[in-house]
Amino acid sequence: MRVQYSAWIDGPQTRQERMESLITLFSNMLMHTAGDVAEALEWMEEIDRQHGIFDASLTMQDFVEELKRRGYIKSDGEESFELTAKGKTRIRQDALKEVFTSLKKGGPGSHEVPHTGSGVERTSERRTYSFGDSASDIDFTTTLQNVYRRAGLDDFSLTEDDVEVFETEHLTSAATVLMLDISHSMILYGEDRITPAKQVALALAELVSTRYQRDALSVLLFGDDAVEVGISELPFVRVGPYHTNTRQGLRLARSILRRSGSANKQIFMVTDGKPSAIFEDDGRLYKNSFGLDPRIVNKTLDEAVACRRDNIVISTFMVAQDPWLVEFVEELTKANKGRAYFTGLGKLGEFVLVDYIQNRRKKV
């Protein structure tokens, strides 16, 4: 019997599937609108006008009522809404899901969502059994193959040399500060760089809170100054008319990590610009947006060296290719003995999460 195959055609979504897709889209709109529910709903209406995402079976009003029923938004006066704590959690969940979905096999890190908690995790690599290895780590298939190759079926006897075990990794706890650049260049020239940066921060926060609960994650924003923000405030972050005070960001990050009891301390810095400001000893802000000001650069590199002395590794994720930025990051990485990545916006989440997961692991 001959069977003819054709391209698979996706069937119509159920009402529940449509609702889930629309809520995910709404989460994405909230990141663009800095958590402004009314503006996000306006964007949903605009998308409906252009693409017809609502119809008689699922109207815009039905969608809003479902958001309220699930507790993602709540009324704050007549026809005015605000995001709830549950809504903020949904944004983080959607951000993490989108970042992990984007990971491509064979890319900078091909990972499934990691297992819960810290401890020991099995890898695909194997080695010969050593006294003290756990029986649960024995690779029985490979072990039996070794016996067969050595003795055959007629003299099937197991020796210690036949036994192979899976390698394991110890998942160490870590303290991380994520630095987000909120200088004006993050929205300059019509390119929105802050929304992908926020998405990565939200995804990383959800990863840590659900998968690595013994880890510590702090988030700070740096522009003219640096300030620590709570995870729940991330959707509301906006770019300001600021310069880039990288030194102050590193200084605050180092202060936060100094209070941590973890032996593994790291800074993840997401930026699109060279340092262009520092505070003087008298508290005044010294600014220079042209080129690489040696006065600013040297003070910033001094802070990178101070981080190195405190055993804090800086990973810099550049979302722009400005030659001044690249030159500075090369010097910063050398001073700190850290890591640097040019990610662009499309792969920012992929690089950050993979780097986070990989740097928590060591062979045991």
Side-chain angles (χ1 to χ4, degrees):
M1 181 177 66
R2 178 176 294 177
V3 179
Q4 185 174 3
Y5 294 94
S6 62
W8 179 73
I9 301 174
D10 190 8
Q13 286 184 310
T14 65
R15 190 178 191 277
Q16 184 63 26
E17 289 171 338
R18 283 183 62 196
M19 185 66 74
E20 285 299 318
S21 297
L22 290 170
I23 292 175
T24 298
L25 177 61
F26 179 65
S27 292
N28 190 273
M29 291 298 102
L30 284 169
M31 280 190 288
H32 283 274
T33 64
D36 188 322
V37 175
E39 187 179 351
L41 290 174
E42 288 176 5
W43 275 107
M44 295 291 288
E45 291 177 335
E46 179 62 29
I47 294 171
D48 179 47
R49 281 193 288 271
Q50 295 187 24
H51 302 284
I53 59 176
F54 298 110
D55 55 27
S57 64
L58 203 170
T59 66
M60 178 70 178
Q61 186 59 38
D62 294 334
F63 176 66
V64 173
E65 290 301 319
E66 182 68 9
L67 291 175
K68 291 164 62 178
R69 188 187 71 79
R70 295 195 187 191
Y72 294 148
I73 63 174
K74 64 181 180 180
S75 297
D76 183 25
E78 189 174 345
E79 295 188 2
S80 180
F81 303 102
E82 66 178 27
L83 194 62
T84 65
K86 190 174 181 181
K88 296 172 188 176
T89 300
R90 175 62 190 248
I91 295 175
R92 294 199 302 269
Q93 292 170 343
D94 286 339
L96 180 61
K97 186 184 301 182
E98 183 170 338
V99 170
F100 266 110
T101 301
S102 71
L103 297 183
K104 294 182 179 179
K105 194 171 183 178
S110 178
H111 293 277
E112 299 297 326
V113 177
H115 298 294
T116 303
S118 61
V120 174
E121 184 172 307
R122 179 181 292 179
T123 74
S124 60
E125 299 176 17
R126 301 170 182 83
R127 59 173 173 79
T128 305
Y129 173 85
S130 298
F131 180 76
D133 286 335
S134 173
S136 62
D137 291 327
I138 294 175
D139 179 0
F140 289 99
T141 300
T142 303
T143 297
L144 292 175
Q145 289 174 345
N146 291 340
V147 175
Y148 176 74
R149 281 195 294 265
R150 179 181 56 77
L153 291 175
D154 296 332
D155 186 23
F156 196 86
S157 58
L158 180 67
T159 69
E160 184 175 321
D161 292 337
D162 296 322
V163 181
E164 291 193 22
V165 295
F166 287 103
E167 285 273 23
T168 56
E169 292 176 325
H170 180 64
L171 303 183
T172 62
S173 63
T176 305
V177 173
L178 179 62
M179 291 174 49
L180 295 183
D181 185 346
I182 57 167
S183 62
H184 183 58
S185 60
M186 291 290 278
I187 55 168
L188 206 56
Y189 309 120
E191 184 174 31
D192 178 7
R193 295 167 177 169
I194 191 62
T195 298
K198 286 197 298 184
Q199 181 186 47
V200 170
L202 289 161
L204 187 57
E206 183 66 12
L207 176 71
V208 171
S209 65
T210 58
R211 308 290 174 173
Y212 298 116
Q213 296 174 3
R214 293 177 60 184
D215 286 6
L217 175 67
S218 302
V219 179
L220 68 83
L221 314 175
F222 67 106
D224 286 351
D225 201 351
V227 60
E228 184 177 5
V229 294
I231 300 299
S232 63
E233 298 306 306
L234 277 172
F236 309 108
V237 169
R238 292 183 183 271
V239 167
Y242 309 127
H243 290 75
T244 309
N245 194 340
T246 308
R247 179 201 188 195
Q248 193 66 14
L250 293 175
R251 178 171 286 184
L252 177 57
R254 187 161 62 93
S255 175
I256 293 170
L257 291 171
R258 194 181 293 140
R259 301 194 298 265
S260 168
S262 175
N264 301 297
K265 302 178 177 69
Q266 58 186 357
I267 295 171
F268 282 7
M269 179 169 65
V270 179
T271 184
D272 74 337
K274 59 180 174 57
S276 58
I278 56 171
F279 282 117
E280 301 277 23
D281 293 339
D282 61 5
R284 290 183 299 172
L285 186 67
Y286 171 75
K287 300 172 288 186
N288 184 356
S289 300
F290 300 98
L292 288 174
D293 186 319
R295 185 175 174 187
I296 295 174
V297 169
N298 290 339
K299 292 289 186 181
T300 306
L301 294 179
D302 285 345
E303 194 59 39
V305 171
C307 287
R308 186 189 71 201
R309 289 173 180 158
D310 286 349
N311 296 315
I312 299 170
V313 177
I314 302 171
S315 293
T316 306
F317 301 89
M318 297 177 284
V319 294
Q321 297 189 65
D322 179 349
W324 298 118
L325 171 62
V326 174
E327 182 180 340
F328 163 72
V329 170
E330 287 176 350
E331 292 297 321
L332 178 79
T333 304
K334 188 185 302 182
N336 178 255
K337 296 185 178 179
R339 297 178 292 271
Y341 306 91
F342 169 69
T343 66
L345 294 175
K347 291 185 176 291
L348 177 60
E350 184 173 348
F351 275 87
V352 171
L353 266 67
V354 166
D355 191 65
Y356 181 83
I357 294 168
Q358 287 181 339
N359 291 325
R360 302 182 72 262
R361 300 166 183 261
K362 63 180 180 180
K363 290 286 182 66
V364 294

